[in-house]
Amino acid sequence: MSEITETNFSQSWVSNFPENSLMANAGISWINLAREQASRGQWQQVIETWQKAADSFESEGDKLNQSMALTNLSLSHQKLGQWDLAQEAIESSLQILETHPQSPQQQRILANTREIQGQLYVNLGHPEMALEVWPKAISLYENINQPQRILRTRINQANAMQQLGLYPRACQTLIDALSLDSDICKPNNKLLREDRESFRQSLQQKQTEINFLSLYSLGLVSLSNVLVSQSNLETALEILLTSGKISETINNSEQIGVVWLNLGNTARAFVNITKSEQLSPLNNSCLTALNSEENEGSFFETLANCIDTIESPRQEYNFSFYASLADFSYQKAQETINPERVFQAQINRLELLLKTGQVSPQEIENLVNYALKQRQILGFSHQSLYSQLQLAQTLICLRFNDKNSLLDRSSPLLRQCYINSQQSLETIVIPSTATIEEIISSVIEKAKGKGQSQLQDNRAITYGLGYLGALNQQLNNLSKAADLTSEALQNISAFETPEIAYFWHWQLGKIYTLQNKVEAGIKSYNIAFELLQSLRQDLVGTNTDIQFNFRDSVEPVYRELIALLLGANQDINREKYITPSQENLRQARNIVEGLQLAELDDFFNEPCLAAQPQEIDRLVDDSRESIAVIHAIILDQSLEIILKISQQQELKYYRKKVPQKEVKDVLLSLQKYLKLSGETTNVKRFSQQVYQWLIEPLEQELQENNIENLVFVLDGLLRNIPMAVLYDGKNKQYLIENYGVALVPGLQLLPSVLAQEQPLNALVAGISEKRVIDGVPFSPLKNVEIELDSLASLIPENKTLLNQTLTENNLKNLLEDNNFSVLHLATHAQFSSNVDDIFILLYDQLLDLGQVEDLLSKTDNINSTSLDLLVLSACETATGGERSVLGLAGVAVKAGVRSTLATLWPVLDNTTADFMASFYEKLQQPNMTKIKAVQLTQQEMLQDPSNQRPNIWSAYTLVGNWL
């Protein structure tokens, strides 16, 4: 569970009385008394007041005011968590209203009552029922022209949608309610620095058009929560600052506290996407000045100025600033009087400081003790339950911090621990496991509605039981851990809450595996896998509680199941491994496919594969050439290889015992030397090691089946290495000298056609001049003009854009008006593990990921007129990140481009011009495939003494459909 985001459901008294009557005066007096008592927090007295009012109105035969009093009575019971009494009161009110003759007063009170009934459903843990009731309230409000209450109810609707994971729907609801630009809801719609001021002005202008500033501020907070869930952090931050300014203007201290808590969460989201090596002390001069006595202006106005000073275009997020901002915001949130918000801010701040490591052990102990003390004064609410569970999880992380290196035996819950303390925590007193168990058990009891609590929260019960299971797993009480985890799963529906069920099936599978119940473990892991597959649409673009941290909460499920199916854990220490069954091998390949797709989804923060793909196996078996598909999977202690030979149903399996760290070190070294000139010896040394791992075990099988082409489905850092460069030390040959080589992102591909079956029709474009965009200089590519002229002569049907003509509009217009089969871009481009660092250089701008995708997706449907080949002849991928090439492949997959040919690092542009001319010439020969055309061109380069260095010829990689 991630930090809890405070969601304020707006509420107010029902006060619709006939204005010219004695009863109106009596009713107003009741309301004034109740308001006075509520302002002092005297909720029991408020309840007594409304009960007396209801009795009085009933004795006088005033049914409408009786129902009004009952509705307010229900609202008051909700304040004390007296849910049964609240339900009884609201039902009594509705029974009166639905039998009462229709009138303006009846309609107003009925609308209010429906609204509060929806809030009761939310408090009872049934937001879906609230969403059925609130449209009725909105319809009534529209009939009686109550825009303020319409806005309030729509904000509440959006909050309920967020609880159900309906984030796109919640975003659109808020955009409509607040009359904002619908583009705000687009995934990955990053707010650029140069657009900040105009965005602030648009929010300011909208603010002047709204009469209900308090509600508008509340709606902006809700919208910011949605945007954080969709990774639109910059926009969320600006919206929160605007909400804070409004709250300051109207002097709403309660709302200011809400803004500070959510501002802390948003800043912490920035921290979570920042590389850990960027750690620096948590201080910032701008924030320090913000909190000084000299600051007499608006906190949030000054803070906006702080944000403007610390970011420059395309700079990595400033870890120190955002960590400081989160810390500052959580401390400000603790200054409010709401005990639940204070407690939540404490827990979130504790987790933040543990992650950053910029805190002393003694301060950690003080924060824990303070949180335990604050917990004692919490009321009965759903939010307080989840805050306490979050505290319990943090305490589990602290208690078992020294065992984090043993994740293979730990509960999945331990993967959620982010403790980066610069000092040993052994000296502090951490609450005992008995204390942790007491906290969790107390939450479960309250969630069951026992004692003073009347809550009914099955999700909280499930989390509590699962946490107890995790605690017992850490204590090696495996039987009890399995029983508790099974009980957690029995308490919920996997169909209704797959985002929760998958996690506890994962934990149960791990416990069974530790008990050597392998088949039971595989069964539980399979259920977790299937639930994750069903969640593909929800794992992205959703709240962080559902989106998860992919590396810690999603990817391990796939890898651990693959390891179980292949027996990688059971017989890793044996001299000879046991070959898995064909069924297990096929399933392992399918899980690899699921992992690749999930990783693409996570990388782009939205589902990627929307086209109708072809299965690789079918494509391989129908091919005229002899092809082998090689899956390489990196596990903790081994490299697992699954081989598929064309025309053969039986899969082959090989294992190389090699620790993951060793594989990573070799691949990083190889990637580094490949980009350098004069490092052929080192390239051969490290690429030979990879050859021995991947190819040597398969050599006999490949030779016996006269394999011509190798298609790789690779994992992790292997994707960043051009397989063509793998070196056979025995025969002194690179892999490309014997095989055509292609990389595919998964088991499914978009269909393609041979070039001669569909004549090439190309849009060739490039930039030869030096450019400076957003302060970033790009060197001239002096041979681009030669490259484009050569291609124009080789490809009869073509159009060209060079230098100042290469603009977004020109590209867009040409792609929309022509059915090009090839888009060739000879301009600087970069693909990185960070989506924000992906770009393609045009003459006057850098196209970001979204713009690239929009350009390439020029048709709505995947059809024969879509791009068959995208060529990036001056592209580079960032060193070290496992996802750089994934980004390259993913852009094409998302846009429906069948194949991509790109350089993985910068190559001299005169060499590139020669390579591309040769490639296109060969591609248009009879029966020529892309994979063969690339192979023949690279073989030619190897024969040329001036191009034999691996950093020159091996940079060109074919990704996607190889035909």
Side-chain angles (χ1 to χ4, degrees):
M1 256 172 51
S2 64
E3 71 270 5
I4 307 298
T5 298
E6 179 169 355
T7 303
N8 260 25
F9 286 86
S10 180
Q11 300 169 322
S12 67
W13 301 116
V14 181
S15 55
N16 294 286
F17 303 103
E19 292 185 357
N20 299 311
S21 70
L22 292 174
M23 198 55 68
N25 292 330
I28 291 172
S29 67
W30 289 118
I31 280 190
N32 289 336
L33 177 58
R35 280 177 175 163
E36 183 182 346
Q37 292 167 333
S39 69
R40 297 194 296 266
Q42 298 170 333
W43 289 106
Q44 191 56 49
Q45 287 93 323
V46 173
I47 288 172
E48 292 172 2
T49 296
W50 285 121
Q51 186 62 65
K52 290 176 182 176
D55 293 342
S56 174
F57 288 134
E58 182 181 18
S59 66
E60 295 166 3
D62 187 342
K63 294 294 186 183
L64 280 182
N65 279 327
Q66 180 189 355
S67 68
M68 174 276 298
L70 288 169
T71 299
N72 283 330
L73 178 62
S74 174
L75 189 57
S76 305
H77 281 305
Q78 291 182 49
K79 289 291 186 180
L80 292 183
Q82 297 171 349
W83 311 117
D84 288 345
L85 294 173
Q87 180 85 352
E88 181 182 332
I90 205 80
E91 288 177 354
S92 297
S93 177
L94 283 169
Q95 188 175 7
I96 294 170
L97 289 167
E98 289 172 350
T99 58
H100 194 280
Q102 194 174 107
S103 67
Q105 292 81 7
Q106 183 265 355
Q107 292 284 283
R108 279 194 291 269
I109 297 175
L110 178 59
N112 289 170
T113 303
R114 287 295 187 193
E115 182 185 352
I116 291 173
Q117 182 187 30
Q119 182 56 55
L120 176 59
Y121 284 140
V122 169
N123 286 328
L124 290 172
H126 299 293
E128 72 285 352
M129 295 175 69
L131 292 179
E132 294 178 5
V133 168
W134 278 330
K136 299 175 183 178
I138 290 174
S139 178
L140 289 166
Y141 284 142
E142 288 172 343
N143 291 339
I144 58 177
N145 191 26
Q146 292 283 320
Q148 181 175 1
R149 294 180 183 272
I150 291 171
L151 175 58
R152 184 178 66 197
T153 308
R154 284 181 173 167
I155 293 170
N156 288 342
Q157 277 185 310
N159 291 337
M161 290 171 188
Q162 291 180 62
Q163 289 190 6
L164 292 169
L166 305 173
Y167 295 94
R169 186 176 160 193
C171 194
Q172 193 57 54
T173 298
L174 289 166
I175 289 297
D176 292 342
L178 301 172
S179 301
L180 297 175
D181 186 349
S182 61
D183 285 348
I184 291 175
C185 290
K186 288 184 178 178
N188 294 317
N189 185 26
K190 180 181 178 182
L191 181 67
L192 300 178
R193 178 186 174 86
E194 57 266 29
D195 298 328
R196 278 186 195 157
E197 189 56 39
S198 62
F199 184 69
R200 289 172 185 171
Q201 290 176 1
S202 69
L203 291 176
Q204 181 71 27
Q205 175 62 32
K206 191 60 61 179
Q207 178 182 334
T208 63
E209 301 170 3
I210 298 290
N211 295 322
F212 326 116
L213 287 181
S214 179
L215 278 177
Y216 184 65
S217 174
L218 198 65
L220 290 177
V221 171
S222 182
L223 179 59
S224 74
N225 291 339
V226 178
L227 295 175
V228 169
S229 76
Q230 295 179 323
S231 297
N232 293 341
L233 302 183
E234 294 82 2
T235 309
L237 195 59
E238 291 298 329
I239 286 174
L240 275 173
L241 292 176
T242 299
S243 179
K245 293 174 193 175
I246 294 172
S247 300
E248 283 180 326
T249 301
I250 61 178
N251 197 27
N252 188 331
S253 59
E254 175 70 12
Q255 183 64 14
I256 290 174
V258 174
V259 173
W260 279 123
L261 179 59
N262 285 277
L263 192 58
N265 293 342
T266 303
R268 186 177 169 193
F270 276 103
V271 173
N272 289 340
I273 63 173
T274 307
K275 297 176 182 177
S276 60
E277 57 263 29
Q278 291 177 302
L279 287 171
S280 57
L282 296 190
N283 58 68
N284 180 278
S285 58
C286 189
L287 290 177
T288 302
L290 178 67
N291 207 26
S292 70
E293 294 181 359
E294 298 177 3
N295 180 51
E296 297 179 354
S298 162
F299 268 109
F300 298 100
E301 186 69 46
T302 308
L303 184 53
N305 295 332
C306 285
I307 291 171
D308 286 341
T309 65
I310 59 95
E311 266 193 291
S312 60
R314 297 194 175 273
Q315 184 182 44
E316 282 285 339
Y317 294 121
N318 187 302
F319 182 93
S320 175
F321 175 80
Y322 286 114
S324 298
L325 175 57
D327 188 28
F328 177 84
S329 299
Y330 288 143
Q331 291 185 71
K332 295 295 290 184
Q334 291 180 56
E335 294 176 5
T336 61
I337 61 173
N338 184 309
E340 291 185 353
R341 187 181 307 118
V342 170
F343 183 72
Q344 187 60 61
Q346 289 171 351
I347 305 305
N348 290 0
R349 180 169 183 250
L350 174 60
E351 290 186 350
L352 170 75
L353 295 177
L354 286 172
K355 177 180 174 64
T356 61
Q358 303 296 324
V359 60
S360 69
Q362 186 58 53
E363 187 172 0
I364 291 176
E365 185 173 333
N366 291 342
L367 286 169
V368 168
N369 290 335
Y370 189 32
L372 290 172
K373 182 179 179 181
Q374 185 72 20
R375 171 179 168 261
Q376 302 302 320
I377 62 173
L378 293 178
F380 300 105
S381 73
H382 296 274
Q383 183 162 319
S384 72
L385 296 183
Y386 291 104
S387 298
Q388 291 176 78
L389 286 172
Q390 189 180 344
L391 171 62
Q393 179 180 352
T394 301
L395 296 179
I396 290 173
C397 291
L398 281 169
R399 173 141 293 280
F400 298 99
N401 180 48
D402 58 328
K403 299 180 181 179
N404 274 351
S405 59
L406 302 176
L407 283 176
D408 57 323
R409 296 193 60 83
S410 294
S411 161
L413 200 63
L414 269 291
R415 285 189 175 272
Q416 317 303 309
C417 299
Y418 304 103
I419 296 179
N420 192 21
S421 178
Q422 304 298 306
Q423 305 177 48
S424 172
L425 300 180
E426 294 180 359
T427 59
I428 72 173
V429 178
I430 300 171
S432 65
T433 54
T435 298
I436 300 171
E437 186 172 359
E438 184 278 323
I439 293 172
I440 300 171
S441 298
S442 171
V443 168
I444 293 173
E445 290 300 297
K446 291 174 183 175
K448 289 180 177 179
K450 295 185 177 181
Q452 292 181 321
S453 169
Q454 294 181 22
L455 297 171
Q456 290 290 333
D457 193 328
N458 283 336
R459 290 190 179 210
I461 296 169
T462 296
Y463 274 120
L465 291 168
Y467 281 18
L468 288 178
L471 187 61
N472 278 276
Q473 182 178 341
Q474 294 309 119
L475 296 171
N476 206 34
N477 299 330
L478 297 182
S479 294
K480 187 175 181 180
D483 291 342
L484 286 164
T485 308
S486 296
E487 187 179 351
L489 287 165
Q490 292 167 10
N491 198 60
I492 56 169
S493 163
F495 176 77
E496 293 178 357
T497 56
E499 75 280 3
I500 300 175
Y502 104 89
F503 193 88
W504 302 122
H505 277 292
W506 175 19
Q507 177 166 290
L508 187 59
K510 196 149 196 172
I511 295 168
Y512 284 147
T513 303
L514 292 173
Q515 292 177 307
N516 292 318
K517 299 177 181 179
V518 177
E519 291 304 316
I522 289 176
K523 182 178 179 181
S524 289
Y525 268 101
N526 268 326
I527 296 173
F529 167 72
E530 293 296 338
L531 289 171
L532 281 175
Q533 292 298 93
S534 73
L535 271 171
R536 270 194 65 207
Q537 299 291 320
D538 296 322
L539 283 172
V540 291
T542 58
N543 182 276
T544 48
D545 279 344
I546 300 176
Q547 186 179 349
F548 315 113
N549 179 306
F550 181 84
R551 294 293 190 199
D552 298 322
S553 300
V554 177
E555 184 176 3
V557 179
Y558 293 86
R559 295 196 181 280
E560 290 169 14
L561 177 52
I562 291 168
L564 272 177
L565 291 167
L566 300 181
N569 294 336
Q570 283 74 39
D571 46 52
I572 192 65
N573 296 319
R574 298 179 186 175
E575 286 299 317
K576 189 172 182 180
Y577 56 82
I578 301 173
T579 301
S581 67
Q582 286 295 303
E583 180 183 354
N584 280 9
L585 289 175
R586 281 191 292 272
Q587 188 178 354
R589 285 211 319 167
N590 288 335
I591 294 165
V592 171
E593 167 75 359
L595 175 59
Q596 296 266 3
L597 289 176
E599 196 167 9
L600 278 170
D601 292 346
D602 178 70
F603 184 74
F604 291 104
N605 198 39
E606 59 181 308
C608 284
L609 196 60
Q612 295 300 317
Q614 287 183 326
E615 290 186 1
I616 283 184
D617 287 358
R618 184 180 303 174
L619 209 60
V620 167
D621 289 338
D622 292 344
S623 175
R624 303 169 188 169
E625 301 170 332
S626 183
I627 300 173
V629 179
I630 299 173
H631 278 75
I633 308 152
I634 303 172
L635 298 181
D636 288 343
Q637 297 298 324
S638 63
L639 193 59
E640 308 286 316
I641 304 164
I642 303 175
L643 175 67
K644 155 71 180 174
I645 301 288
S646 57
Q647 308 295 329
Q648 294 184 18
Q649 296 300 311
E650 184 178 354
L651 300 173
K652 311 294 182 181
Y653 169 75
Y654 307 89
R655 175 186 296 160
K656 292 297 293 185
K657 293 182 183 178
V658 54
Q660 186 181 67
K661 185 181 184 306
E662 183 179 342
V663 174
K664 182 177 181 178
D665 290 345
V666 168
L667 294 177
L668 287 175
S669 297
L670 177 55
Q671 187 182 16
K672 178 182 74 173
Y673 287 122
L674 275 169
K675 297 184 178 184
L676 301 176
S677 179
E679 294 290 349
T680 301
T681 299
N682 279 322
V683 168
K684 286 183 175 179
R685 176 162 65 97
F686 288 108
S687 67
Q688 182 176 340
Q689 178 63 78
V690 182
Y691 181 95
Q692 290 170 350
W693 289 337
L694 281 186
I695 307 301
E696 199 171 84
L698 320 179
E699 281 180 338
Q700 183 177 347
E701 199 75 42
L702 299 177
Q703 292 167 6
E704 289 177 356
N705 288 280
N706 299 313
I707 297 300
E708 301 174 61
N709 297 318
L710 301 178
V711 175
F712 290 89
V713 182
L714 297 175
D715 185 24
L717 285 171
L718 281 168
R719 290 184 293 235
N720 293 350
I721 305 299
M723 292 292 105
V725 83
L726 300 191
Y727 190 67
D728 179 359
K730 296 178 184 176
N731 297 308
K732 311 300 181 185
Q733 290 181 314
Y734 292 104
L735 193 64
I736 199 67
E737 297 182 69
N738 294 307
Y739 305 99
V741 174
L743 173 67
V744 296
L747 287 169
Q748 303 182 78
L749 291 176
L750 301 179
S752 186
V753 292
L754 296 178
Q756 68 277 7
E757 295 175 3
Q758 176 184 298
L760 296 183
N761 180 12
L763 172 56
V764 294
I767 294 177
S768 62
E769 301 174 2
K770 178 181 178 179
R771 303 300 302 147
V772 178
I773 307 293
D774 292 342
V776 180
F778 294 92
S779 60
L781 301 172
K782 298 178 180 179
N783 286 279
V784 161
E785 292 187 39
I786 298 173
E787 180 179 336
L788 299 191
D789 288 343
S790 174
L791 299 187
S793 64
L794 282 169
I795 306 172
E797 293 188 52
N798 72 85
K799 293 187 183 296
T800 301
L801 294 174
L802 177 64
N803 291 331
Q804 58 262 48
T805 63
L806 181 48
T807 64
E808 184 177 8
N809 281 339
N810 288 344
L811 264 177
K812 180 180 179 182
N813 291 335
L814 283 173
L815 288 170
E816 286 179 347
D817 296 341
N818 299 270
N819 290 327
F820 294 114
S821 59
V822 177
L823 174 60
H824 182 105
L825 296 174
T827 180
H828 290 285
Q830 175 175 285
F831 287 84
S832 166
S833 288
N834 186 345
V835 172
D836 292 331
D837 292 336
I838 293 176
F839 68 84
I840 293 178
L841 172 69
L842 301 187
Y843 192 77
D844 57 351
Q845 70 180 104
L846 299 178
L847 282 186
D848 63 23
L849 173 66
Q851 294 167 313
V852 172
E853 184 188 347
D854 288 343
L855 274 178
L856 297 180
S857 305
K858 61 186 177 66
T859 56
D860 293 330
N861 299 309
I862 301 303
N863 54 50
S864 60
T865 63
S866 293
L867 284 175
D868 189 59
L869 177 63
L870 169 66
V871 178
L872 301 168
S873 65
C875 179
E876 63 177 304
T877 55
T879 301
E882 295 187 11
R883 293 178 161 192
S884 298
V885 176
L886 183 75
L888 176 63
V891 167
V893 167
K894 288 176 89 254
V897 178
R898 292 158 173 79
S899 312
T900 303
L901 177 61
T903 55
L904 297 186
W905 54 84
V907 180
L908 293 174
D909 58 334
N910 62 326
T911 304
T912 297
D914 293 340
F915 178 96
M916 291 301 166
S918 178
F919 166 73
Y920 281 112
E921 182 181 14
K922 291 175 174 56
L923 188 61
Q924 296 178 85
Q925 295 174 7
N927 297 319
M928 182 61 66
T929 58
K930 300 184 192 81
I931 193 172
K932 182 60 69 176
V934 172
Q935 181 190 15
L936 293 174
T937 305
Q938 289 184 315
Q939 287 177 344
E940 275 184 6
M941 296 183 77
L942 273 168
Q943 301 306 312
D944 181 352
S946 63
N947 291 326
Q948 286 180 345
R949 296 192 305 275
N951 70 300
I952 295 176
W953 64 265
S954 71
Y956 307 93
T957 295
L958 180 65
V959 182
N961 198 309
W962 60 89
L963 291 178

